[in-house]
Amino acid sequence: MAKRVFSAALLGSALLALAACNASENESASGGSLDAAEKASETLLKTGGNGDNWGAIGYSYDEQRFSPLTDINDKNVGQLGLAWSADLDDARGQEATPVVVDGVMYVTHAWSKVSAWDAATGKELWKFDPKVPGERAVSACCDVVNRGVAVWGDKLFVGALDGRLIALDRKTGKELWSTQTFDTSKPYTITGAPRVVKDMVLIGNGGAEFGVRGYVTAYDADTGKERWRFYTAPNPTKAKDGAASDDIFASKGNATWSDKGEWQTSGGGGTVWDAIVYDKDLDQIYLGVGNGNPWNHGTRSNGEGDNWFLSSIVALDASTGKYVWHYQETPAETWDYTATQPIILAEQAVDGTPTKVLYHAPKNGFFFTINRSNGKLIDAKPFVDGINWATGYDMATGRPIENPDARFYKTGKPFIAVPGALGAHNWHPMSYNPKTGLVYIPAQQIPQGYLADMDELDKRKVLGFNVGTSLNKTMLPDDQKAFRAAIAATTGRLVAFDPRTGKVAWGVDYPAAWNGGTMTTAGNLVFQGTSTGRFRAYAADTGKQLLDLDMQSGIVSAPSTFRVGGVQYVAFMTSKGGAFPLVAGIAGGVTRKVPNIPRLVVLKIGGTAQLPAPPATTTLAWTPPPMTAKPAEVAAGKAHFGRYCQVCHGDSAIGNGFTPDLRVSGTLANADAWKSVIIDGALKDRGMVSFARVLTPQDAEAIRAYVIERSNWTKANLPEVSAPMGR
């Protein structure tokens, strides 16, 4: 017993000495010090801990989404069963990764709601609803989603769709403070998760499709007071903003934007709507920056300049927000090739030297390995097949070797790009397993047409996407072969990429796109849910499928794993949601028939609980009103639908069982009821605001004529593949 006491005393002295040596490390940016709970959070975020907790959406600061747990492994994963589940509010996209600290699980839901659960039993502990106004949905390009919380000490942080950054007491869910992060008169949103660094909370925003200027802000974790801000697009007047980005724009960045072009009124875009990663080793923050506004570089910047910092990885000093370096993956971006996809920090031998690297697989289809000390490109190789906008990267310059035809605004010809705007990899998290050296990417193939031949309707408006390309003229033609080809061309793939060789080590093909994020473990496992409703586990080294569970609903989120009471669990959320099911139309393929069930699911070895009975198959009454409108009215309605409606109700008015399929809407046969929604805003509380600012009652009636025509045409020509799906 004496020996144990003596050892404990020595350990206590050692810990005190270590704390003294690291005092400066635990000092906040404002000169104060972290309390005990905050120090524990910082340690967990730096190390990831022993796997009992999943302390951040990416597991730790490195955001590898790798757990050291091995209780569930490649020998017993087939014995996973349901521990518990909970149905959630709001049949919209559920994109959060469950965060678990000290046996309590925290998740965000659609509409920025937050809930806390006993992670082992499924007992709901509290729920917080920020009551986001339904009208804000019109500013959300890609659904009213939220990707998770950040935990810091006794606080929990969430970004709300309407721009509030909110601090909650993580034990009770009570609001502690709230700060408005953007001008609500502009079409900004927040869908990403905050990150906490040095007692600061960092958050970005979305809205580049509509026309805003991107930035990231750091706020004091205790008070919500702004510490610093970094803009990712220049001030239209090229004046200084008093921001951390002032010097780099004044010295170099402004010169990369033309003095002509629409960016000066649109804001330029460049929103940081997802990836914000802290490098604990170099004390740097990395931002994944989004697309420009408009997409079309010819319209945005007169076809001139690289347009810093669009589609770039930007490194900042963590304490001040000052610029350190950047690497632009897609210079003069023009296809919505964002660099906002998840960023992973790792170490890799480069020319025999251990090197701190950053891994990134953005929309443009190339996998980047970047030296995070200086931003130098180490490698860029394709992680999907069929890329046609570029043939590769010039390693001497770090620039893509472009296909001249891809610059559609220069050629004046349409260009069908692979990948398209939804990307070879979208927001769905990838993961990295240090044991295998592989990165597991939820990849996809979704071609898209681009056309710069714009008419008056395509030009900038106060509502709707403003992307500088014709949306209505690139909808599918009235051709059965084209519709079936769209289904065949739209696929998904789990890619195990080896950054050391620049090649795909193994892959698993899926019949549809928009599959869930990945998570990997020391048990030689990779977990992923699919858009067709399966939850699967694969051997991390070989890709052999080891588990296949029916989850009744699509899965877009990424799982996490943790241990409570000596038992390892795996948790994830189910739902359809996000940009693809909103806009896909017929290209949704088999996923159109998959139910949309918002649910939290937790598995364990030997779990015997059962999911609720699946919902009954809904057969919607498909009895379109007769065609009475003249062809000119239908054509006008098609143009307006393509401009304003397809991004939420699907290409060619074919719904995906997610938002209402207008072909079977109860208002379709009633002109007054239709007008009450589109013009009068009868459903604004549900996100369907009035479009009276851009449409006349006659325009709305023309859209109704077009949807009636679509309903009749698809029923007569494609009933087996386009039948309306229930919500």
Side-chain angles (χ1 to χ4, degrees), residues 97-182:
T97 300
V99 169
V100 179
V101 179
D102 299 333
V104 178
M105 179 185 298
Y106 305 97
V107 294
T108 56
H109 314 223
W111 293 108
S112 316
K113 297 176 182 177
V114 189
S115 58
W117 307 77
D118 183 302
T121 68
K123 178 183 177 181
E124 188 174 38
L125 303 177
W126 55 258
K127 187 174 181 179
F128 173 77
D129 182 357
K131 300 188 184 302
V132 172
E135 302 95 300
R136 199 71 206 175
V138 77
S139 299
C141 76
C142 310
D143 200 7
V144 293
V145 297
N146 192 283
R147 297 187 190 91
V149 302
V151 171
W152 183 251
D154 295 327
K155 298 183 184 69
L156 177 151
F157 302 96
V158 62
L161 192 73
D162 59 6
R164 287 173 289 160
L165 178 63
I166 303 169
L168 304 176
D169 183 309
R170 73 179 180 95
K171 294 181 180 178
T172 65
K174 180 181 178 181
E175 183 176 311
L176 300 176
W177 56 256
S178 175
T179 188
Q180 184 63 44
T181 68
F182 59 64

Side-chain angles (χ1 to χ4, degrees), residues 6-282:
F6 179 65
S7 298
L10 283 178
L11 177 61
S13 298
L15 288 174
L16 287 172
L18 181 62
C21 291
N22 293 337
S24 60
E25 189 174 298
N26 285 325
E27 297 210 347
S28 73
S30 60
S33 59
L34 306 180
D35 64 26
E38 291 168 340
K39 288 179 182 179
S41 289
E42 184 179 56
T43 299
L44 182 60
L45 289 171
K46 284 184 174 181
T47 67
N50 65 358
D52 285 354
N53 297 301
W54 188 279
I57 59 165
Y59 184 71
S60 67
Y61 278 140
D62 291 342
E63 303 216 6
Q64 296 180 356
R65 292 179 181 260
F66 168 79
S67 169
L69 295 181
T70 58
D71 303 350
I72 301 171
N73 54 60
D74 56 0
K75 303 297 190 299
N76 64 8
V77 68
Q79 300 170 32
L80 274 181
L82 184 66
W84 60 270
S85 68
D87 285 359
L88 306 173
D89 300 334
D90 306 308
R92 302 297 294 259
Q94 310 294 336
E95 297 188 353
T97 300
V99 169
V100 179
V101 179
D102 299 333
V104 178
M105 179 185 298
Y106 305 97
V107 294
T108 56
H109 314 223
W111 293 108
S112 316
K113 297 176 182 177
V114 189
S115 58
W117 307 77
D118 183 302
T121 68
K123 178 183 177 181
E124 188 174 38
L125 303 177
W126 55 258
K127 187 174 181 179
F128 173 77
D129 182 357
K131 300 188 184 302
V132 172
E135 302 95 300
R136 199 71 206 175
V138 77
S139 299
C141 76
C142 310
D143 200 7
V144 293
V145 297
N146 192 283
R147 297 187 190 91
V149 302
V151 171
W152 183 251
D154 295 327
K155 298 183 184 69
L156 177 151
F157 302 96
V158 62
L161 192 73
D162 59 6
R164 287 173 289 160
L165 178 63
I166 303 169
L168 304 176
D169 183 309
R170 73 179 180 95
K171 294 181 180 178
T172 65
K174 180 181 178 181
E175 183 176 311
L176 300 176
W177 56 256
S178 175
T179 188
Q180 184 63 44
T181 68
F182 59 64
D183 180 349
T184 56
S185 70
K186 297 180 180 179
Y188 285 104
T189 53
I190 292 177
T191 56
R195 268 69 165 189
V196 184
V197 177
K198 292 184 168 183
D199 80 346
M200 297 181 293
V201 190
L202 278 62
I203 194 71
N205 44 57
E209 274 63 45
F210 306 99
V212 295
R213 181 188 180 202
Y215 58 85
V216 166
T217 315
Y219 296 92
D220 186 285
D222 287 331
T223 65
K225 182 179 179 181
E226 181 178 325
R227 293 274 191 84
W228 55 256
R229 174 168 290 179
F230 188 93
Y231 286 96
T232 45
N235 186 316
T237 68
K238 298 192 176 180
K240 293 190 175 183
D241 297 288
S245 46
D246 281 349
D247 291 344
I248 186 60
F249 272 115
S251 62
K252 295 182 180 180
N254 286 338
T256 69
W257 291 73
S258 173
D259 288 333
K260 302 176 183 178
E262 205 170 285
W263 74 270
Q264 294 173 87
T265 54
S266 76
T271 51
V272 184
W273 50 264
D274 199 16
I276 304 172
V277 177
Y278 176 58
D279 186 332
K280 65 183 184 300
D281 300 322
L282 301 178

Side-chain angles (χ1 to χ4, degrees), residues 279 282 284 286 315 324-325 355-357 370-376:
D279 186 332
L282 301 178
Q284 294 179 163
Y286 307 113
V324 179
W325 58 257
T355 305
K356 297 182 187 303
V357 298
I370 298 170
N371 185 322
R372 64 184 203 253
S373 299
N374 54 26
K376 181 180 178 181

Side-chain angles (χ1 to χ4, degrees), residues 542-558:
T542 66
K544 179 181 179 181
Q545 183 175 299
L546 304 173
L547 177 74
D548 182 22
L549 298 177
D550 180 4
M551 287 293 113
Q552 303 179 356
S553 174
I555 303 169
V556 293
S557 67

